[in-house]
Amino acid sequence: MVSLADAGDRRAAFSDRARDTALSWRFFDACTQRPDSLAIDEAAIRRNKGRILTRGEIGCYASHFSIWEEMVARDVAQAIVLEDDTIIDWAYIERLAETDLAARGFDYLRLYAKRPTFQRIVATDFLQHSRTVVELIGPAYGTQGYAITLAGARAFIDECRIIRRPIDDAMDRSWAHGVRNLALFPAPILEATVPSAIGAARFAGKNDPAFRTLRQRAWRQLERTRMRMMKARRFLGY
């Protein structure tokens, strides 16, 4: 459970909501600064987002990256990562925790997404009648909750060692890192209506000139082409 160490009210509220679960869980103190294992490419961020990243975005990035590093260091087969502003269907999550996701080829499984995007059905009636696993292609955004295997953590570490965009943007780029962007529908968690710890400055306009260069526009067109090609391959069964 990713949570700022001083977020006492959030931690208390989440602990109260989790009081009846049989799962063992713990708070992970969210990072407030970038660890040495992460580099940052400010020029790439300005090109990709049209602005700099907020301190909260960098902390969020570092927090999830640190969890993946801990999984690799401790040889953890799989983990469920949640943020402290979530409301959980614990009965389903308990069943998910008992499932060998690597054996099913599900190295990364979103429990929530912030926006709809292209999807195709991968598995039906997954652990529960009418619960579907879909593959998302395109920006879905959000790190509120996901399950991840050791192989998924290693792949994300390889892709995300240098901060070039927000962490959820990087995780969504399945055409770049090769990890399928799988998600559960309907989602077994919800995002509570509370102020974001990351802040709203990230929703400001894309004002940096680096975002509007011809080279960057061409790169964004290439990204869209790669997404379309992945969608076409999925339609053809690849």
Side-chain angles (χ1 to χ4, degrees):
M1 172 56 55
V2 183
S3 177
L4 289 166
D6 60 358
D9 289 344
R10 284 195 179 207
R11 290 191 172 201
F14 183 86
S15 297
D16 184 61
R17 294 194 296 269
R19 64 184 181 277
D20 294 327
T21 182
L23 284 178
S24 174
W25 63 274
R26 66 180 175 93
F27 285 114
F28 179 91
D29 291 345
C31 298
T32 57
Q33 57 186 354
R34 178 171 55 88
D36 293 339
S37 57
L38 270 177
I40 188 165
D41 186 337
E42 296 281 6
I45 293 168
R46 293 196 301 271
R47 290 195 303 270
N48 291 327
K49 300 303 294 182
R51 59 176 177 82
I52 62 173
L53 295 189
T54 67
R55 180 179 177 183
E57 285 177 301
I58 293 173
C60 180
Y61 195 117
S63 298
H64 289 276
F65 190 87
S66 296
I67 289 171
W68 306 333
E69 286 189 314
E70 182 177 326
M71 287 182 67
V72 172
R74 296 174 52 197
D75 199 31
V76 175
Q78 69 182 39
I80 295 174
V81 182
L82 302 167
E83 295 185 347
D84 66 0
D85 57 350
T86 50
I87 299 170
I88 316 297
D89 177 353
W90 285 110
Y92 188 85
I93 296 302
E94 288 169 8
R95 296 185 66 181
L96 181 65
E98 296 171 352
T99 303
D100 185 345
L101 296 176
R104 295 175 179 258
F106 298 168
D107 286 320
Y108 170 55
L109 183 61
R110 277 179 167 276
L111 309 180
Y112 180 84
K114 294 182 76 72
R115 59 172 280 183
T117 187
F118 173 89
Q119 59 183 252
R120 72 176 185 101
I121 294 175
V122 173
T124 58
D125 297 331
F126 181 64
L127 307 183
Q128 180 186 32
H129 180 68
S130 298
R131 186 85 67 172
T132 302
V133 176
V134 297
E135 180 180 11
L136 308 178
I137 300 176
Y141 300 125
T143 53
Q144 284 72 20
Y146 57 88
I148 187 167
T149 69
L150 185 57
R154 285 175 172 149
F156 280 160
I157 288 173
D158 288 344
E159 171 67 15
C160 301
R161 291 183 186 278
I162 302 175
I163 302 175
R164 298 186 176 95
R165 53 183 57 82
I167 190 62
D168 53 348
D169 288 33
M171 294 165 73
D172 280 341
R173 298 178 70 245
S174 49
W175 55 91
H177 51 64
V179 180
R180 290 189 299 171
N181 190 10
L182 302 179
L184 284 168
F185 181 86
I189 74 172
L190 294 174
E191 183 180 25
T193 306
V194 295
S196 172
I198 298 178
R202 66 191 189 279
F203 301 125
K206 302 179 186 300
N207 298 317
D208 197 299
F211 181 79
R212 306 185 185 282
T213 64
L214 287 176
R215 178 180 178 181
Q216 194 62 15
R217 290 178 182 177
W219 182 87
R220 288 196 293 275
Q221 183 59 47
L222 176 61
E223 283 280 278
R224 288 190 286 269
T225 299
R226 295 175 75 183
M227 278 191 284
R228 293 188 189 105
M229 291 177 65
M230 177 171 277
K231 292 175 186 177
R233 290 196 298 270
R234 296 299 188 261
F235 273 125
L236 294 172
Y238 295 105

